[in-house]
Amino acid sequence: MPDGGAAELVAALARAVRAHGVPVALRSEVACAEAVAAVGAARRQDLYWAGRATLIHRPEDAAAYDAAFTAVLEERVTWSAPSVPVPTEVLVEGEGGSDGEGVGDDDDRVLRHSAVEQLRQVDLATCTVDERVQLHRAISALRVDVATRRSRRRRPARRGDELDLRRTVHAALATGGEPLRLHQRAPSDRPRRLVLLLDVSGSMEPYARALVRFAHAAVTSRGAGRVEAFTLGTRLTRITRALTTRDPDEALARTAGDVADWSGGTRLGDALGQFVDRWGARGMARGAVVVVLSDGWDRGDPALVAEAMARLHRLAHHVVWVNPLRAVPGYEPLAQGMAAALPHVDTFVPGASLADLEGLAHLLATLSDVPPSRSVA
């Protein structure tokens, strides 16, 4: 068994499982810590089943879990990632009280908060290194979906609005040519394409890694082809392929290797115009949900930003601008780039904390199929 407490052991085991290609959500890691605290870590068998019951959820992941468990306990692998304490102590509330005394059955207990819950509202630019690691894990575990659109393709349906002649005739062959049942079909829905444009310039440095992890969560949630991601700086860089790996740390490393202007200057107008000319107008942005994650600081001509955003707004179904500064009380979009872009934005939201990014994920999943009216607040 590795040296250190049970919390460090659970963290090492979760990292090892992720390293074997199996995604582990933060809530699963917390559940594992609670399970180990309940059964103890003295017996290898108890520890094995506590981790297997909480960290993986598919039978096909059992082999990867076994390999990770063996690596952690027997080979004593030293992991390069920093050791982060897992919240093993939680406050619970029973039916009869709120101070933890007189707690009833386990089924009645409600999780009040965890360490991550306490950090949900913390600005990513002001948190400590350990806090940032925990927040990045939570962001990587987000589920990012996008609202659907009505497709021209029709699918079989029990109560459709159109006769499915082919299926009706095929079924009649089994009854001597008598169509005993009229099959029907109805319109189907398909998810809209999501395009993420991430500002990785120097002014966005405190948020850039978190935004890349959010983009990675979107790609792994929806799959490559339905989500496209680019970085904006002094140039435009497509990073979709770098985000296709299941490991968020590897995705971040591959992205940093592909982006030559990371933490450099900003020419939003040029980069946005390049995206519209090379990708957006050729089909990628048509009918898509486009999300720009940037503080709007730009060293170029603001007229170029306005022109590119106007063209992008005409192509896209919905344009969302996520600005970390939007979370600051009293913020006004006085930066030239932001002021030039704002008239061509449908929804303007903050993006400085985990709670903001969770709100963005919820917004993307609930967008209306109807073309939006201006909703800038």
Side-chain angles (χ1 to χ4, degrees):
M1 183 183 302
D3 295 335
E8 294 183 356
L9 175 61
V10 171
L13 183 57
R15 286 195 296 271
V17 174
R18 293 191 186 99
H20 282 78
V22 179
V24 178
L26 186 61
R27 59 180 179 275
S28 299
E29 194 170 339
V30 174
C32 181
E34 292 174 326
V36 172
V39 303
R43 296 179 56 194
R44 176 190 175 97
Q45 184 178 9
D46 293 342
L47 184 61
Y48 172 85
W49 286 110
R52 178 164 176 172
T54 53
L55 295 179
I56 63 173
H57 307 283
R58 301 183 303 175
E60 54 266 34
D61 294 334
Y65 174 80
D66 291 345
F69 185 83
T70 301
V72 171
L73 270 74
E74 295 185 356
E75 299 179 6
R76 297 174 182 269
V77 174
T78 300
W79 301 95
S80 58
S83 177
V84 179
V86 175
T88 58
E89 183 177 353
V90 295
L91 299 180
V92 295
E93 180 178 0
E95 285 184 334
S98 59
D99 56 0
E101 296 181 359
V103 176
D105 296 335
D106 291 343
D107 292 340
D108 296 329
R109 296 183 176 184
V110 180
L111 184 65
R112 182 183 292 177
H113 68 264
S114 66
V116 174
E117 278 296 314
Q118 293 178 328
L119 297 174
R120 288 183 69 249
Q121 304 290 342
V122 174
D123 193 315
L124 289 163
T126 61
C127 59
T128 65
V129 174
D130 289 344
E131 291 172 344
R132 186 174 297 114
V133 171
Q134 294 187 58
L135 289 172
H136 284 179
R137 286 183 178 177
I139 293 171
S140 297
L142 287 177
R143 174 78 184 180
V144 182
D145 291 318
V146 179
T148 58
R149 62 188 299 183
R150 182 56 58 92
S151 171
R152 295 180 180 178
R153 179 172 298 180
R154 306 178 76 84
R155 297 184 181 278
R158 183 178 296 273
R159 297 180 178 178
D161 58 357
E162 182 179 288
L163 177 65
D164 189 340
L165 185 59
R166 185 181 63 83
R167 294 181 68 229
T168 299
V169 172
H170 186 269
L173 295 177
T175 57
E178 291 293 335
L180 300 183
R181 177 185 174 187
L182 298 179
H183 291 268
Q184 297 177 322
R185 59 182 185 176
S188 59
D189 294 330
R190 57 182 301 185
R192 289 188 178 276
R193 178 181 288 114
L194 174 63
V195 180
L196 300 170
L197 304 177
L198 316 179
D199 184 348
V200 295
S201 62
S203 62
M204 288 288 290
E205 170 64 24
Y207 306 99
R209 287 172 173 77
L211 299 182
V212 171
R213 288 178 180 274
F214 181 86
H216 174 259
V219 171
T220 54
S221 297
R222 301 288 309 283
R226 295 179 177 177
V227 179
E228 294 285 349
F230 296 80
T231 60
L232 307 174
T234 56
R235 68 188 69 178
L236 179 74
T237 305
R238 190 181 187 185
I239 59 172
T240 306
R241 179 170 297 179
L243 300 178
T244 54
T245 176
R246 303 293 298 183
D247 186 348
D249 294 328
E250 182 183 351
L252 181 60
R254 292 170 61 180
T255 300
D258 290 347
V259 179
D261 55 344
W262 189 285
S263 297
T266 315
R267 294 194 177 277
L268 281 179
D270 293 336
L272 288 170
Q274 186 179 354
F275 168 75
V276 175
D277 290 336
R278 186 175 178 184
W279 304 97
R282 296 185 178 183
M284 183 178 290
R286 294 185 186 277
V289 176
V290 179
V291 181
V292 184
L293 301 102
S294 171
D295 57 6
W297 289 98
D298 183 30
R299 295 182 179 179
D301 186 353
L304 296 178
V305 177
E307 178 183 355
M309 287 300 299
R311 296 173 60 198
L312 183 60
H313 191 244
R314 288 194 292 270
L315 291 170
H317 171 72
H318 199 113
V319 177
V320 181
W321 192 293
V322 183
N323 188 336
L325 302 178
R326 180 75 164 79
V328 179
Y331 166 76
E332 294 184 7
L334 301 179
Q336 290 185 341
M338 191 70 257
L342 205 53
H344 311 290
V345 173
D346 296 309
T347 305
F348 186 40
V349 296
S353 65
L354 171 61
D356 291 339
L357 295 180
E358 290 175 339
L360 174 61
H362 176 73
L363 170 69
L364 297 177
T366 56
L367 285 176
S368 171
D369 194 35
V370 178
S373 57
R374 293 303 311 277
S375 55
V376 177

